[in-house]
């Protein structure tokens, strides 16, 4: 384990060289890193195979496309928080409930921004909290994933009950996901926490890909059947507004 850790550390030191230089030859990397040439050659081959580095026809190395993808993802997540926050504040003040911004994080969802309600009885959802994609307001992200990715997730995931209303039947979950795509929102009741309700809508980018989910959540006593239609429309409108800022012109 220790040797593997040392290899990872050395590989990272090689990648760090590209923070100040766009292209480097093998000999330059050896010189700057002070690592034996045979070790550098071996690590470069692994980094190239994993697409962390690209090698040009003249033998120079540069950061690979994988880093561009990572950079774009980080940028989008930073941008989405900045773009969403003003809309989230307006929505919170309008409906009087907590507003959450959720993104996909591996095979889970993560809350990356929130606006708390001033109501004395409220839900406490911390920024950084993770939740499964199949339950609660996070399900909006699962619903809008590419069909193959969505089906693979449902097939491979054990649907554990987290609250009284958690969907644990895969056939039922697929039906709910299809309906969510059709209507442009999802409602969850007691799925992550008992006696709570959440309404979420998708935030899409210019390619109409899911970037995040926007939700309002609170005790179910404040989400009456009479109030739901108006609350749903407000969440959808707020999500459309953020999506529009991201270049999604056909508002969902």
């Amino acid at each position: 384990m220790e040797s593997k850790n040392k290899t990872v550390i050395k590989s990272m030191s090689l990648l760090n060289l590209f923070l100040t230089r766009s292209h480097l030859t093998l000999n330059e990397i050896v010189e700057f890193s002070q690592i034996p040439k045979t070790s550098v050659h071996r690590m470069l081959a692994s980094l190239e195979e994993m697409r962390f580095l690209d090698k040009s026809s003249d033998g120079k190395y540069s950061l690979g496309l994988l880093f561009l993808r990572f950079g774009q993802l980080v940028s989008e997540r930073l941008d989405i928080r900045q773009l969403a926050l003003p809309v989230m504040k307006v929505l919170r003040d309008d409906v009087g409930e907590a507003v959450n911004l959720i993104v996909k994080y591996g095979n889970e969802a993560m809350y990356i921004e929130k606006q708390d309600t001033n109501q004395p009885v409220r839900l406490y959802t911390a920024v950084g909290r993770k939740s499964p994609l199949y339950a609660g307001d996070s399900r909006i992200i699962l619903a809008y994933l590419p069909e193959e990715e969505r089906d693979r997730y449902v097939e491979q995931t054990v649907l554990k009950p987290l609250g009284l209303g958690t969907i644990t039947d895969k056939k039922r979950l697929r039906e709910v996901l299809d309906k969510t795509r059709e209507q442009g929102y999802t409602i969850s009741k007691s799925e992550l926490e008992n006696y709570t309700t959440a309404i979420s809508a998708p935030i899409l980018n210019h390619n109409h890909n899911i970037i995040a989910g926007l939700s309002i959540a609170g005790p179910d006593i404040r989400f009456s059947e009479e109030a739901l239609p108006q609350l749903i429309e407000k969440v959808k409108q707020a999500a459309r507004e953020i999506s529009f800022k991201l270049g999604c012109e056909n508002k969902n």
Side-chain angles (χ1 to χ4, degrees), residues 10 17 21 27 36 56 68 71-72 74 89 91 107 124 129 144 149 154 163 189 194 203 208 214 216 232:
K10 288 182 178 180
L17 295 175
R21 303 167 182 85
N27 288 334
S56 62
L68 294 179
Q72 182 181 13
V74 172
K89 289 179 179 178
L91 180 61
N107 280 328
Y124 291 94
R129 174 188 174 185
Y144 277 80
E149 183 177 357
V154 174
K189 298 185 177 183
N194 291 336
I203 296 174
H208 298 272
L214 183 72
I216 61 172
I232 290 168

Side-chain angles (χ1 to χ4, degrees), residues 119-134:
Q119 299 271 12
V121 179
R122 66 184 75 174
L123 296 183
Y124 291 94
T125 302
V127 171
R129 174 188 174 185
K130 298 175 186 176
S131 65
L133 290 170
Y134 64 85

Side-chain angles (χ1 to χ4, degrees), residues 25 71 112:
T25 65
I112 63 169

Side-chain angles (χ1 to χ4, degrees), residues 21-213:
R21 303 167 182 85
S22 58
H23 296 82
L24 289 168
T25 65
L26 171 61
N27 288 334
E28 287 172 333
I29 294 172
V30 172
E31 178 185 351
F32 293 136
S33 68
Q34 296 296 297
I35 299 174
K37 190 171 185 176
T38 53
S39 297
V40 170
H41 190 271
R42 184 173 62 252
M43 288 187 287
L44 289 176
S46 297
L47 291 170
E48 185 181 0
E49 182 180 356
M50 293 185 293
R51 297 172 60 203
F52 284 111
L53 289 178
D54 285 336
K55 185 180 180 182
S56 62
S57 57
D58 60 358
K60 291 185 177 181
Y61 291 89
S62 61
L63 291 179
L65 292 177
L66 190 59
F67 270 107
L68 294 179
R69 292 180 62 187
F70 284 148
Q72 182 181 13
L73 180 61
V74 172
S75 177
E76 282 181 339
R77 288 183 176 178
L78 290 175
D79 289 343
I80 191 67
R81 291 179 67 178
Q82 295 171 356
L83 290 173
L85 194 55
V87 180
M88 293 173 68
K89 289 179 179 178
V90 171
L91 180 61
R92 185 270 315 276
D93 293 343
D94 188 13
V95 302
E97 299 295 346
V99 180
N100 300 307
L101 184 65
I102 316 157
V103 298
K104 186 175 183 291
Y105 186 83
N107 280 328
E108 297 178 292
M110 178 185 287
Y111 295 82
I112 63 169
E113 188 59 82
K114 62 176 294 189
Q115 287 295 298
D116 275 326
T117 177
N118 293 322
Q119 299 271 12
V121 179
R122 66 184 75 174
L123 296 183
Y124 291 94
T125 302
V127 171
R129 174 188 174 185
K130 298 175 186 176
S131 65
L133 290 170
Y134 64 85
D137 45 6
S138 305
R139 190 170 57 240
I140 194 69
I141 295 175
L142 179 60
Y144 277 80
L145 289 179
E147 184 176 356
E148 183 178 340
E149 183 177 357
R150 184 175 71 242
D151 290 344
R152 184 168 60 249
Y153 173 89
V154 174
E155 182 67 27
Q156 297 176 352
T157 302
V158 177
L159 307 182
K160 299 178 181 179
L162 304 167
L164 294 172
T166 308
I167 299 173
T168 56
D169 178 77
K170 293 189 175 183
K171 180 180 178 181
R172 172 60 180 155
L173 177 61
R174 290 188 177 97
E175 292 173 350
V176 171
L177 293 174
D178 288 341
K179 185 177 180 181
T180 297
R181 287 290 294 253
E182 179 182 332
Q183 61 192 13
Y185 69 91
T186 191
I187 300 177
S188 62
K189 298 185 177 183
S190 295
E191 294 191 20
L192 292 175
E193 297 180 46
N194 291 336
Y195 313 115
T196 64
T197 297
I199 303 170
S200 51
I203 296 174
L204 309 175
N205 66 7
H206 62 286
N207 290 322
H208 298 272
N209 295 323
I210 185 77
I211 292 296

